[in-house]
Amino acid sequence: MLKGRSLIEPEDFSLSEMEFLFSLAEMIEKDEKYLRNSLKGRLLATLFFEPSTRTRLSFEAAMLRLGGSCLGFAEPGSSSAVKGESLADTIRMAASYADAIVMRNPKEGAALLASRYSVVPVINAGDGGHHHPTQTLTDLLTIRQLLGKIENFTVGFCGDLKFGRTVHSLAKALARFPDIKMIFISPQELILPEYIKNMLKNQNIIFDERENLEKSMPELDVLYMTRVQRERFFNEDDYIRLKDTYVLNKEKMSAGKEKMIVLHPLPRVNEISVEIDSDPRAAYFKQAKYGMYVRMALLASVLGAEDVKY
Ligand code: NCD
């Protein structure tokens, strides 16, 4: 049963529950009328305490396409957080007005806390440098759609692996699929947090940490590029020094497999040159679209739309 459930970390859903969401998303993609009015009269609160384009708009588009409505705020400045209201109180209020809450917050653990004060499902749209489970659903659906399966792949993660919450969530999720090898490519200062590495070690996942992107290219089936997370740095000089460590360009792409795909949660800054956009292996804009379909599947499921039976 997905009805009434919150999604805070990727492990909150079982593999078969995720598979169910992917199949539902695929059905919606094939027939955009499917589930069209299934959430008529229902309300989604989108509480964004941090900037967002894709995540917020794709959740709102998903809810509207399902016939529901949205309310909320896109920046904390327009909420009572600026008056000093606690997150717990904001959530209690939102839960009494809406049928589900999507929240992004700069503090790690905020989504879990919110779920404890909410009587309606809470969906984590990013909690600081911690997790971003609906981006993971998007990433996995994209891999499945474009490569036909989620197994027996070498996945390279490149960029800010320290603060990149999409990396943390995707690495944890991929560890549950068969025969996935991971290569983590970053400068020394931005390596993957110890707790994720320990989790991978405990599950006997094969992974490697490197600094060089070029040399790793020929091995990869999926390359997951990320932006250096400026907002999480304590020091602007460090950001400026590290921000352009990796720039994926035509030359580097020429060393990649013909069937490799390049993903990026977006927004990109400089890490993928625009000259790559027309390469058939560049999948990041398709990925953004899959994000809407999988969020439609998720909302229809947690809000218990009539036609959705899990
Ligand atoms: C990501 C995020 O917010 O973590 N964006 C997104 O949701 N698509 C990645 C990022 O901001 O770099």
Side-chain angles (χ1 to χ4, degrees):
M1 256 301 248
L2 285 166
K3 186 176 171 189
R5 296 259 297 275
S6 287
L7 175 60
I8 308 302
E9 292 205 18
E11 289 94 331
D12 290 343
F13 289 174
S14 68
L15 278 187
S16 59
E17 286 166 342
M18 286 201 279
E19 291 288 340
F20 172 79
L21 291 177
F22 300 149
S23 316
L24 201 57
E26 281 167 28
M27 276 151 72
I28 299 168
E29 189 210 359
K30 282 202 196 95
D31 172 10
E32 293 206 354
K33 288 202 207 79
Y34 181 59
L35 298 180
R36 185 164 273 179
N37 277 317
S38 61
L39 292 182
K40 198 162 190 290
R42 315 295 295 281
L43 270 179
L44 177 69
T46 54
L47 312 183
F48 278 71
F49 295 89
E50 257 193 354
S52 168
T53 305
R54 268 147 300 272
T55 306
R56 188 172 59 83
L57 293 186
S58 65
F59 263 115
E60 294 186 357
M63 191 63 182
L64 296 171
R65 279 171 180 256
L66 294 168
S69 311
C70 305
L71 71 170
F73 52 84
E75 44 181 89
S78 57
S79 80
S80 280
V82 287
K83 297 186 195 164
E85 185 172 54
S86 71
L87 181 62
D89 285 359
T90 306
I91 292 297
R92 278 193 191 104
M93 287 305 106
S96 65
Y97 303 145
D99 300 299
I101 295 171
V102 172
M103 184 182 79
R104 170 170 288 184
N105 194 288
K107 293 209 178 88
E108 287 81 8
L112 181 64
L113 183 114
S115 69
R116 300 216 164 122
Y117 286 94
S118 176
V119 291
V120 301
V122 173
I123 298 169
N124 181 10
D127 60 327
H130 194 215
H131 279 295
H132 192 347
T134 65
Q135 182 64 45
T136 298
L137 292 174
T138 303
D139 303 337
L140 294 173
L141 175 65
T142 309
I143 296 173
R144 183 176 134 131
Q145 289 288 95
L146 301 182
L147 298 178
K149 59 178 178 143
I150 312 173
E151 59 179 76
N152 197 13
F153 287 138
T154 300
V155 180
F157 293 86
C158 178
D160 186 346
L161 311 186
K162 180 179 180 187
F163 296 116
R165 56 192 170 199
T166 64
V167 171
H168 305 160
S169 292
L170 183 57
K172 277 184 110 179
L174 279 172
R176 301 161 78 193
F177 289 85
D179 302 319
I180 301 284
K181 180 180 172 191
M182 303 188 211
I183 299 179
F184 297 106
I185 305 153
S186 72
Q188 196 49 39
E189 288 103 319
L190 298 178
I191 59 171
L192 198 67
E194 211 56 38
Y195 80 94
I196 309 257
K197 281 193 267 183
N198 287 337
M199 188 226 69
L200 297 176
K201 282 182 200 150
N202 291 340
Q203 290 181 252
N204 296 320
I205 304 298
I206 300 175
F207 72 91
D208 203 3
E209 292 183 278
R210 303 181 189 167
E211 286 196 41
N212 190 297
L213 172 60
E214 285 91 327
K215 287 196 194 131
S216 308
M217 286 300 285
E219 290 168 65
L220 308 179
D221 299 297
V222 177
L223 171 58
Y224 195 88
M225 292 298 293
T226 61
R227 160 183 84 87
V228 176
Q229 307 278 298
R230 182 182 201 160
E231 64 275 36
R232 316 245 180 262
F233 275 68
F234 294 112
N235 177 334
E236 183 74 3
D237 291 344
D238 287 344
Y239 168 72
I240 290 167
R241 184 167 49 80
L242 294 167
K243 72 183 171 71
D244 293 327
T245 313
Y246 303 102
V247 180
L248 185 65
N249 55 17
K250 270 196 173 155
E251 197 191 322
K252 293 194 185 90
M253 284 296 278
S254 67
K257 290 184 188 172
E258 201 188 319
K259 288 224 150 62
M260 172 191 70
I261 54 170
V262 179
L263 302 182
H264 190 308
L266 304 177
R268 77 170 143 188
V269 186
N270 281 327
E271 58 281 353
I272 300 182
S273 160
V274 290
E275 67 186 21
I276 304 301
D277 295 355
S278 53
D279 187 309
R281 296 169 292 177
Y284 29 92
F285 294 120
K286 281 188 201 146
Q287 182 185 359
K289 186 145 194 202
Y290 287 130
M292 180 183 72
Y293 295 128
V294 87
R295 288 178 175 114
M296 287 175 80
L298 176 67
L299 290 173
S301 300
V302 300
L303 284 168
E306 279 261 311
D307 298 336
V308 176
K309 302 268 177 286
Y310 175 78

